[in-house]
Amino acid sequence: LSLLLPTLRLDAGIDCREPRNACGRRIVMLAAPAPAVADSFIAERRGNLALLDEPRMLDAQNFPIAPDDLIARAKDFIAADYGAEDPGMLADAFSFVGPFIGPLSKQQYIDALGGKFNPADGFPDLIGRQFGFSADPIEPGRVWWVSRPVGTFSRPFFGAEPDGRRIETPPQAMGCVFDAAGKVTRINVGAVIDRTQGNTAGLGGLFGFLWFVGKAPPAPEYQPFKKSWQFELLEKLGPLLTKLQAAPQK
């Protein structure tokens, strides 16, 4: 799976488009809400800061796998190419959820691992540069980390000839969830944290590599972020509306 599920087959019959309703509006798929945090688990409250008491919260979860062991399992999962080299790491109820792709079932995910578009083929020195591993004190079994991949475009990729340029994607949030048996039930990948960083125009995962080599498909999701005319209009009208709201009523 290399980095951020780059081997997802574009021809695997998976609909990567966002779900939309009959009016064409995007449907936001929400996970179950996280449980509320009791005030007793707030270690420090100051202004907007409400610092969680992570050790106490993790201990109170009573999850059968210790936080350090969860992090070790997450690293093993990454080392096994995100389960590509050992599908036995995946739970039967496994799901893959990316910013635009998914949710994919376990079988869809395994089928997608046979993709032909692995960035490591064109960037053989590609490394993930993962850091910041932590166990989630709110969601039991969850591990988070950040990835900042870099590599050199030194071999043909997706029909593009190498030119020796070095790619650096933006920092991307990554995460996976383990069940009580230590199997991965979910992986979240490629959520860009700061789109101003790197040289892929703010795109993460496979999308960033395709754009970098000039082979991004002509779909909005594969392109750098561009404000809609509606959003730009609201930006321009915003200050005026704020002034009108602040104006004294006669």
Side-chain angles (χ1 to χ4, degrees):
L1 191 57
S2 187
L3 299 169
L4 315 184
L5 196 66
T7 55
L8 269 175
R9 291 178 53 190
L10 301 184
D11 60 345
I14 298 171
D15 189 350
C16 299
R17 298 171 297 177
E18 293 177 304
R20 295 180 182 273
N21 62 18
C23 297
R25 294 187 177 182
R26 183 167 62 91
I27 299 173
V28 179
M29 303 182 68
L30 301 177
V37 177
D39 287 343
S40 60
F41 286 119
I42 303 296
E44 180 182 357
R45 189 186 295 275
R46 177 162 44 90
N48 286 331
L49 176 67
L51 184 66
L52 299 181
D53 189 338
E54 296 180 45
R56 285 187 61 220
M57 293 182 68
L58 289 168
D59 185 62
Q61 288 177 350
N62 291 318
F63 196 71
I65 304 174
D68 287 345
D69 291 336
L70 283 173
I71 291 173
R73 287 174 182 269
K75 293 177 179 178
D76 289 342
F77 180 59
I78 296 170
D81 218 358
Y82 297 90
E85 297 177 0
D86 185 4
M89 290 182 164
L90 309 178
D92 290 339
F94 171 87
S95 66
F96 167 92
V97 182
F100 300 107
I101 298 176
L104 303 182
S105 68
K106 177 180 179 179
Q107 190 57 54
Q108 288 175 317
Y109 180 79
I110 292 174
D111 291 343
L113 298 183
K116 307 171 184 177
F117 311 117
N118 190 337
D121 293 339
F123 301 78
D125 61 349
L126 187 63
I127 58 173
R129 300 199 303 177
Q130 297 91 354
F131 64 94
F133 287 83
S134 64
D136 192 321
I138 297 176
E139 185 179 359
R142 164 80 77 172
V143 177
W144 296 107
W145 66 93
V146 176
S147 179
R148 302 190 71 151
V150 293
T152 307
F153 186 23
S154 58
R155 293 180 183 173
F157 176 63
F158 203 62
E161 292 300 317
D163 54 19
R165 289 180 299 142
R166 188 164 178 79
I167 192 173
E168 179 179 356
T169 78
Q172 299 164 70
M174 307 277 290
C176 63
V177 182
F178 294 91
D179 61 18
K183 301 282 189 178
V184 179
T185 62
R186 174 178 296 187
I187 179 172
N188 301 98
V189 304
V192 171
I193 300 171
D194 183 354
R195 58 186 172 85
T196 68
Q197 297 296 301
N199 58 4
T200 61
L203 296 168
L206 173 62
F207 292 15
F209 287 90
L210 293 177
W211 183 88
F212 185 81
V213 303
K215 295 295 183 179
E221 290 80 2
Y222 288 92
Q223 306 302 318
F225 171 73
K226 182 180 179 181
K227 296 178 183 178
S228 66
W229 67 265
Q230 297 96 328
F231 190 88
E232 290 186 336
L233 179 61
L234 288 173
E235 278 192 322
K236 293 177 181 178
L237 292 177
L240 175 60
L241 295 175
T242 301
K243 289 181 179 180
L244 290 175
Q245 288 180 332
Q249 300 293 323
K250 294 184 179 180

